[in-house]
Amino acid sequence: MDEALFVRFQGVTRRPQGHFPGVFALANDLARQGLLSEEEHRFWRAGNDWYDAAYPNPSDVDRGVYDPELHPGAVAWFKTTATHLVDRVPGYLDLLAAHGVACERVESSAPGRIVYEDEVQVVVVPWETGPPPAPAGSAGRPDPGTPTT
């Protein structure tokens, strides 16, 4: 198997649209529903503010990146080299676990068709039936995403 180049933290239950919501969407859902304690709300707000300042929001760069008709099922993945971003995710996982929201870490060398990329992340449309075949002479097909929890 190829070395994972991307990592995603996501829920384990598909949304009606067919995708697995990411860790930030899940935490935002709890906050919108008013389910966070005062301390949890402070953590969530400070964490979101930090992430907003730490890297670009793909939607600010390309307003259509998550358009369900242009890019059905598009989701964001961190590059594994973005350790300063990935290292802060466990606080969100703890928050979600405290509310019984199951999450998993998924790693992949080819999570889908890339529709946006910057230094720390990609947004991809997941493969419908797995990634495309590897080029002739390569060691095999890239993995579509392997849960690591």
Side-chain angles (χ1 to χ4, degrees):
M1 180 186 307
D2 294 331
E3 179 181 340
L5 301 175
F6 307 101
V7 61
R8 178 171 167 77
F9 299 88
Q10 64 186 24
V12 298
T13 304
R14 286 188 190 274
R15 291 269 167 98
Q17 302 86 348
H19 69 281
F20 292 95
V23 66
F24 302 117
L26 293 167
N28 292 348
D29 287 349
L30 292 174
R32 267 194 294 280
Q33 295 170 31
L35 299 175
L36 301 179
S37 70
E38 219 174 286
E39 180 181 335
E40 290 170 333
H41 192 273
R42 277 193 302 276
F43 165 83
W44 166 79
R45 181 71 271 149
N48 281 9
D49 290 346
W50 184 89
Y51 275 105
D52 288 345
Y55 71 102
N57 178 340
S59 295
D60 292 344
V61 178
D62 176 356
R63 294 169 65 111
V65 73
Y66 292 111
D67 182 302
E69 289 185 28
L70 291 174
H71 306 297
V75 294
W77 291 65
F78 285 124
K79 293 181 177 180
T80 54
T81 55
T83 56
H84 66 292
L85 301 175
V86 174
D87 289 349
R88 294 179 70 113
V89 171
Y92 281 86
L93 298 175
D94 292 344
L95 174 76
L96 293 168
H99 289 270
V101 179
C103 290
E104 64 183 355
R105 175 187 173 117
V106 182
E107 297 179 352
S108 178
S109 59
R113 179 176 54 86
I114 295 174
V115 296
Y116 169 88
E117 182 171 8
D118 60 40
E119 284 118 26
V120 296
Q121 66 187 323
V122 293
V123 176
V124 305
V125 175
W127 306 118
E128 289 184 28
T129 58
S138 69
R141 293 169 50 129
D143 63 299
T146 306
T148 59
T149 55

